[in-house]
Each structure stands twice: as C-alpha cells, then as structure tokens.
Amino acid sequence: MWPPPSLSITRRSLDPLTPRRPSPPLGLGPGPCVQRHRLLPDQRLLLYSDGLTEARDAHGTLFPLDSHARAALMAPTLDQALDVLLALHHQHPRHAAAAADDLTLVLAQLASAARAAQPSATSSLGGA
C-alpha cells in the first residue's frame, strides 16, 4: 500500500496533495520520488503515517480528517496544533489492532508565518 497523501491545510480546507508519481514508503523502495509543492503563508503541510488515518473504533470507523482535525491543525502554533490533533486521535476509541500501530506526524509552515503566530515576549509581559 502506498503512503497516505500529504495534506495542505488552510482555515477552509484539508486538501490532499496527490503525487504525480506515487512511490513506496521511505525505506521500502529503491528511492523516493521527489515531489514539490508551493506552500503559501496561510498554509500548513501535514505529513503523516497510516497510524493517523487507519485508527479504527470498535465499529470499524476510521479516524476522520474532518473539520475538527482542520480546526486542530489551525491552532496558533505548530506545537499547539499537533497537541490538539493528538488529543483528538487519542479520543477516537481504537480497535486493539489499530492501537498498536505507530504514528508519525510532521507539521510544517513557512518560517515567517510561524514566527508571526508566536506570542512575543513583550506582549506577554504587558508591553514592557
């Protein structure tokens, strides 16, 4: 099975970035196929393993990449976004086999946009 697509995230949507030429997961093929995508300042890029999307509850329902996940991923900072997404993932009741699956998440944003989202030291000190 090919790896899950990366996601481009904006306040309005989660859009899969489908590769032009799929390649096997890292380490399983002769070499990955390089993909390039332009990331705009208001976008984030989520790279994830199947441990996110294949988590199933007792009824077999997969973890949804829906409006709740999008809202989590748009938290003010990258750390907060991943913390909230992980909390949602842990709240999704998991089937025993799926609970043993590993999970890898990488959330990226242009450095200038990420810095703008960080609270400044002066603002947290009342402008001192």
Side-chain angles (χ1 to χ4, degrees):
M1 176 165 172
W2 301 116
S6 306
L7 290 176
S8 168
I9 304 147
T10 65
R11 295 209 179 275
R12 289 176 290 213
S13 66
L14 290 174
D15 299 312
L17 298 175
T18 306
R20 282 184 227 122
R21 233 180 52 206
S23 61
L26 290 175
L28 296 182
C33 180
V34 174
Q35 303 292 318
R36 296 183 192 276
H37 297 279
R38 182 175 302 263
L39 193 61
L40 300 174
D42 68 336
Q43 291 178 308
R44 290 180 172 174
L45 176 68
L46 178 66
L47 307 173
Y48 56 94
S49 66
D50 63 357
L52 178 66
T53 54
E54 292 182 4
R56 296 177 184 270
D57 65 14
H59 304 289
T61 305
L62 295 171
F63 178 77
L65 287 174
D66 59 9
S67 60
H68 298 293
R70 185 181 71 246
L73 290 166
M74 290 311 300
T77 69
L78 297 177
D79 286 340
Q80 291 169 339
L82 287 174
D83 287 345
V84 176
L85 182 62
L86 283 171
L88 284 174
H89 188 260
H90 291 302
Q91 290 169 7
H92 185 72
R94 286 190 291 282
H95 181 277
D101 199 0
D102 62 339
L103 174 62
T104 302
L105 300 171
V106 176
L107 184 60
Q109 183 175 21
L110 293 174
S112 59
R115 275 193 302 274
Q118 295 286 335
S120 70
T122 56
S123 67
S124 64
L125 297 174

